[in-house]
Amino acid sequence: MKESKTKESKTKTKESKSFKNQNTGELTIEHTNSVAGLDENAWNKAVVGRGNYTTGALKQMEMSFTGNALAQDNWDFDYLTVKDQNGQLVAATFFTTALMKDDMLSSADQSEFIESIRQNGDPYYMCSRVTMMGSLITEGEHLFVSENHPSAKEAIELIFIKAEQIQKSRNGQSLMLRDFEKNNEMAGLMGQKFDFLQKDLPVNYSISLSGWNDLDGYLASIGKKSRKHVRDNVIPELAKYDVICDKGLMDPAKWHELYLNVQKRVRELNTF
């Protein structure tokens, strides 16, 4: 069974090297279902600083989520780029279609109840195929748009018309577009023209590591309330922890184990 799935995935990879082109006025939308079909330099230039989906990262993702035993571990990939008549990239993004939990963004209490049903005999209860912009393991600005280009809005429309076609061809039961800032003009355009339901995603959290290199420097870089919190609640506990900067030496299986320790008990973002 495993072998037959692997053979099927190889066939898909060979077929995906051909482009499907659709000309609309001065714009051309190109669609491929393998990263091998992308213009690597143009794609990587467009996504720099947006998230970890360079062509190298996407190749690894395709390898990891193809030919696996479990349905949820096999994804379909679709890449879209829109260029003008001069070959300039106007918009670009990628979609994955995969089996997801319908309660992925529900409250933790609701997911806990649904999980109890799954664990008692029906592991795919309330699960469906979703065509998602980006993927379950990426975050950031998945949609690149050259916003100053005169045909930017038309390029976005082409992408979302094509996305609906991909959803149908992949047997997706819903189409998810993400991640957009609340006041993003392009997201507003999609909501008005394509009638998408908007839903807040979990808050991203990031810390700037520039401008300091020790504890005193970090404390000087944060606000008064945060500084008091760190001094009162964090520093007294430091002796209980060993902080290790691992540069790729840890066994990948150990990283997966650490991930599962969190995934199994946190239901705010409920995934497989």
Side-chain angles (χ1 to χ4, degrees):
M1 190 74 173
K2 175 82 171 178
E3 184 180 347
S4 66
K5 287 186 177 180
T6 305
K7 286 181 179 177
E8 181 184 355
S9 67
K10 286 181 180 177
T11 302
K12 286 182 178 178
T13 302
K14 289 179 181 177
E15 292 174 350
S16 70
K17 291 181 181 177
S18 62
F19 286 93
K20 300 174 183 178
N21 299 327
Q22 177 185 345
N23 294 321
T24 305
E26 298 180 349
L27 300 176
T28 300
I29 183 165
E30 299 174 340
H31 171 213
T32 180
N33 57 10
S34 170
V35 69
L38 293 173
D39 179 333
E40 186 170 333
N41 290 332
W43 179 274
N44 288 341
K45 184 178 178 180
V47 304
V48 65
R50 292 174 173 270
N52 188 25
Y53 24 91
T54 60
T55 53
L58 291 167
K59 285 175 187 176
Q60 187 63 45
M61 201 185 305
E62 286 183 5
M63 291 172 58
S64 300
F65 291 94
T66 302
N68 296 304
L70 297 176
Q72 63 266 29
D73 294 335
N74 293 287
W75 300 355
D76 294 314
F77 293 81
D78 292 277
Y79 304 89
L80 301 178
T81 54
V82 180
K83 298 178 182 178
D84 64 15
Q85 59 188 355
N86 299 315
Q88 179 184 343
L89 189 64
V90 184
T93 191
F94 74 100
F95 290 85
T96 52
T97 301
L99 189 66
M100 302 184 196
K101 297 180 178 181
D102 295 342
D103 59 305
M104 181 171 66
L105 298 175
S106 298
S107 69
D109 290 342
Q110 289 174 322
S111 289
E112 199 64 52
F113 173 74
I114 295 170
E115 283 301 323
S116 68
I117 298 175
R118 291 181 180 131
Q119 291 167 10
N120 287 315
D122 188 356
Y124 296 121
Y125 174 71
M126 286 190 66
C127 294
S128 57
R129 280 176 63 80
V130 177
T131 299
M132 168 190 285
M133 179 181 283
S135 77
L136 283 167
I137 61 171
T138 57
E139 63 177 32
E141 296 180 75
H142 293 97
L143 175 64
F144 162 78
V145 183
S146 179
E147 295 187 4
N148 294 325
H149 194 284
S151 299
K153 290 183 178 180
E154 290 80 3
I156 292 174
E157 289 186 25
L158 282 178
I159 280 184
F160 294 115
I161 290 170
K162 188 64 180 178
E164 290 182 329
Q165 295 171 0
I166 290 170
Q167 176 200 347
K168 291 177 182 177
S169 68
R170 296 295 193 186
N171 295 319
Q173 292 171 271
S174 59
L175 177 61
M176 182 184 296
L177 310 174
R178 49 174 287 257
D179 303 335
F180 300 100
E181 296 291 338
K182 270 193 171 180
N183 298 320
N184 183 283
E185 180 184 353
M186 300 303 174
L189 170 69
M190 290 179 291
Q192 294 169 13
K193 188 144 191 171
F194 295 93
D195 200 25
F196 281 96
L197 175 66
Q198 296 187 28
K199 185 174 179 64
D200 290 341
L201 291 172
V203 176
N204 286 340
Y205 183 71
S206 63
I207 298 176
S208 174
L209 299 179
S210 61
W212 54 271
N213 54 20
D214 57 21
L215 182 57
D216 289 337
Y218 171 67
L219 289 173
S221 72
I222 60 179
K224 183 177 179 180
K225 288 185 178 180
S226 296
R227 198 156 47 240
K228 184 178 188 308
H229 168 72
V230 172
R231 283 175 172 155
D232 293 349
N233 302 305
V234 178
I235 293 176
E237 306 295 325
L238 288 179
K240 298 179 181 178
Y241 297 90
D242 292 322
V243 179
I244 302 171
C245 182
D246 191 296
K247 296 185 178 180
L249 300 179
M250 187 183 288
D251 183 349
K254 182 63 177 178
W255 288 113
H256 189 231
E257 179 186 340
L258 293 174
Y259 161 74
L260 290 177
N261 287 344
V262 177
Q263 188 269 340
K264 287 178 179 178
R265 69 173 188 268
V266 176
R267 301 298 185 196
E268 283 81 1
L269 186 63
N270 197 26
T271 61
F272 284 106

